[in-house]
Amino acid sequence: MLKKGERAPDFTLYATPDQKIVLSELKGKNVILAFYPADWSPVCSDQMALYNETLKYFSKHDAMLLGISVDSKWCHLAFSQSRNLHFPLLADFEPKGEVSKKYGVYDDEEGECKRALFVIDKEGRIAWSYLSPTAINPGADGILDALESLKKK
């Protein structure tokens, strides 16, 4: 798993069936990457719902949240619409888990992302990372603390 101070690997992933997001194009903003195992699972649903409610606090820190799993863009679309999520879910679908592997958070045994969080600063460096047990919602406190630390720089 990539650690604080390392450069965040760039990527391009589908955010909707016809739109892609390129990480390097977000330079100048703080970025939160929330890797999670699967759409529709109970813990992932709770975690994404919590982040949806926390978006206003993330935006106060000039931060954009991106959820990432190996589910397809169509699966993300259905999940996002059903949960009324207001942030992009990126499909690390093909080649499967390529971005998760770059960040060191791909679970080879399960064939899905581990539950991991990264806060990337405006220069593209990892400011904070956290690997959570798969069955536990890591919440948002660590993310907010990391964003607060960036604000003090």
Side-chain angles (χ1 to χ4, degrees):
M1 178 177 185
L2 298 179
K3 299 291 181 196
K4 180 178 179 176
E6 295 186 77
R7 179 146 304 280
D10 196 21
F11 59 78
T12 302
L13 291 174
Y14 277 101
T16 68
D18 59 357
Q19 291 183 316
K20 292 182 177 179
I21 287 185
V22 180
L23 179 64
S24 59
E25 291 179 357
L26 301 175
K27 195 170 182 179
K29 285 188 83 65
N30 296 314
V31 177
I32 304 157
L33 301 181
F35 289 90
Y36 63 98
D39 292 343
W40 309 104
S41 80
V43 177
C44 297
S45 296
D46 289 348
Q47 182 185 6
M48 295 304 119
L50 171 67
Y51 294 162
N52 203 43
E53 297 301 317
T54 315
L55 286 175
K56 61 185 172 193
Y57 299 105
F58 296 156
S59 67
K60 285 181 181 174
H61 294 283
D62 196 24
M64 179 175 185
L65 172 66
L66 303 172
I68 303 175
S69 80
V70 298
D71 294 298
S72 75
K73 55 192 175 185
W74 296 104
C75 187
H76 280 330
L77 181 64
F79 179 64
S80 183
Q81 287 178 343
S82 78
R83 300 295 193 265
N84 199 27
L85 299 178
H86 298 287
F87 59 90
L89 299 178
L90 306 182
D92 191 11
F93 183 71
E94 186 60 40
K96 185 178 181 183
E98 182 179 51
V99 173
S100 310
K101 290 173 186 170
K102 286 181 180 177
Y103 281 78
V105 295
Y106 185 75
D107 185 336
D108 287 309
E109 191 172 309
E110 296 292 329
E112 58 193 25
C113 300
K114 294 178 181 176
R115 193 176 309 282
L117 301 169
F118 293 88
V119 172
I120 300 169
D121 68 17
K122 295 177 180 182
E123 300 303 316
R125 292 213 172 269
I126 295 170
W128 177 79
S129 61
Y130 177 73
L131 180 63
S132 175
T134 300
I136 296 177
N137 180 345
D141 290 348
I143 296 169
L144 292 169
D145 288 347
L147 292 171
E148 195 63 39
S149 294
L150 287 175
K151 197 174 178 181
K152 293 176 182 171
K153 282 188 173 180

